[in-house]
Amino acid sequence: MSIVLYHHPWSRAANTVWMLEELEQAYELRYVDILAGEQSSDEFRQRNRMSKLPTIVDGDAEISESAAIGVYLADRYGLGRLAPALDDPARGPYLRWCFFAPSVIEPGCAAHSSGWEFKPGSVGWGTWENMLATLEDGIGDGPWLLGDRFTMADVIVGGTVAFMLNFKMIDERPAFVAYAERLNQRPARIRANEKNAAIADAHGLKQS
Ligand SMILES: N[C@@H](CCC(=O)N[C@@H](CS)C(=O)NCC(=O)O)C(=O)O
């Protein structure tokens, strides 16, 4: 039985397609028209009470939250390959980066672009400068967050960095741009981009 991904190409579910392509797992996409509000239907809310994409169903398991989906998929289908094994010393840094995207980069960028007022010591993402510098140090010369080893952390963090660069929500530091360019060359990302674009076309979606 293949994995079902509740999907819209203009959502974080587009990045979940990339995760599945990296893992070379069979999957099917179920289109949820988030522009028409289908994510708020009673049927979809049974799957994800937050009314948000992505959500996956894998046999009896239902998972939402993009980073959790990435960690789940890599452990289940890529342990020792896209996820360090449980007793591998790289496991800690790997998990740190997987959680850094949703808990530090995303709220940090939202706070910065929206001009929120907050005390950096009281929020999990701290200061804008420290968040950027930590990310820049983490990427370093790469090529990946764990050095030569590409992992699901790169799909999670890399997808977020690429999104933030695209929407000009993060500084165009050379390390970020070079990292996004390296990620763009991955065959799985290219395949995912093609699939997402084909679905957007099939549904008549046009970027304004
Ligand atoms: N924390 C969630 C956020 C998911 C999220 O915000 N999804 C957006 C699309 S990228 C969505 O479904 N929006 C529809 C809505 O809020 O009505 C995750 O990382 O999966």
Side-chain angles (χ1 to χ4, degrees), residues 1-95:
M1 200 171 15
S2 67
I3 296 165
V4 175
L5 167 61
Y6 289 84
H7 173 262
H8 188 283
W10 289 0
S11 78
R12 287 168 176 78
N15 217 54
T16 315
V17 175
W18 178 21
M19 293 174 180
L20 290 159
E21 290 290 338
E22 289 286 354
L23 287 161
E24 298 183 329
Q25 282 299 304
Y27 62 93
E28 61 181 90
L29 300 178
R30 300 253 169 96
Y31 189 79
V32 179
D33 190 347
I34 55 172
L35 305 180
E38 277 179 14
Q39 70 281 22
S40 300
S41 69
D42 288 346
E43 188 195 341
F44 187 75
R45 274 159 48 96
Q46 303 269 323
R47 302 204 179 278
N48 184 349
R49 178 65 181 74
M50 285 292 288
S51 299
K52 285 187 178 290
L53 300 177
T55 285
I56 66 163
V57 179
D58 184 17
D60 291 334
E62 282 196 352
I63 308 110
S64 56
E65 293 300 325
S66 308
I69 292 171
V71 170
Y72 166 87
L73 289 172
D75 279 353
R76 182 135 164 71
Y77 299 107
L79 196 59
R81 189 167 56 92
L82 263 96
L86 298 187
D87 59 354
D88 184 330
R91 177 87 184 169
Y94 163 77
L95 288 174

Side-chain angles (χ1 to χ4, degrees), residues 30-168:
R30 300 253 169 96
Y31 189 79
V32 179
D33 190 347
I34 55 172
L35 305 180
E38 277 179 14
Q39 70 281 22
S40 300
S41 69
D42 288 346
E43 188 195 341
F44 187 75
R45 274 159 48 96
Q46 303 269 323
R47 302 204 179 278
N48 184 349
R49 178 65 181 74
M50 285 292 288
S51 299
K52 285 187 178 290
L53 300 177
T55 285
I56 66 163
V57 179
D58 184 17
D60 291 334
E62 282 196 352
I63 308 110
S64 56
E65 293 300 325
S66 308
I69 292 171
V71 170
Y72 166 87
L73 289 172
D75 279 353
R76 182 135 164 71
Y77 299 107
L79 196 59
R81 189 167 56 92
L82 263 96
L86 298 187
D87 59 354
D88 184 330
R91 177 87 184 169
Y94 163 77
L95 288 174
R96 179 270 189 119
W97 285 117
C98 290
F99 290 99
F100 194 79
S103 59
V104 181
I105 306 175
E106 280 201 34
C109 288
H112 185 257
S113 64
S114 304
W116 296 351
E117 284 185 21
F118 58 88
K119 289 187 187 150
S122 305
V123 297
W125 59 91
T127 68
W128 173 243
E129 271 310 318
N130 205 25
M131 185 275 278
L132 292 178
T134 303
L135 182 59
E136 196 172 22
D137 285 351
I139 293 169
D141 294 330
W144 314 120
L145 291 166
L146 299 187
D148 288 337
R149 192 167 173 185
F150 179 86
T151 66
M152 188 59 84
D154 291 297
V155 184
I156 296 170
V157 172
T160 303
V161 169
F163 177 92
M164 297 304 175
L165 284 172
N166 199 24
F167 287 93
K168 306 207 177 307

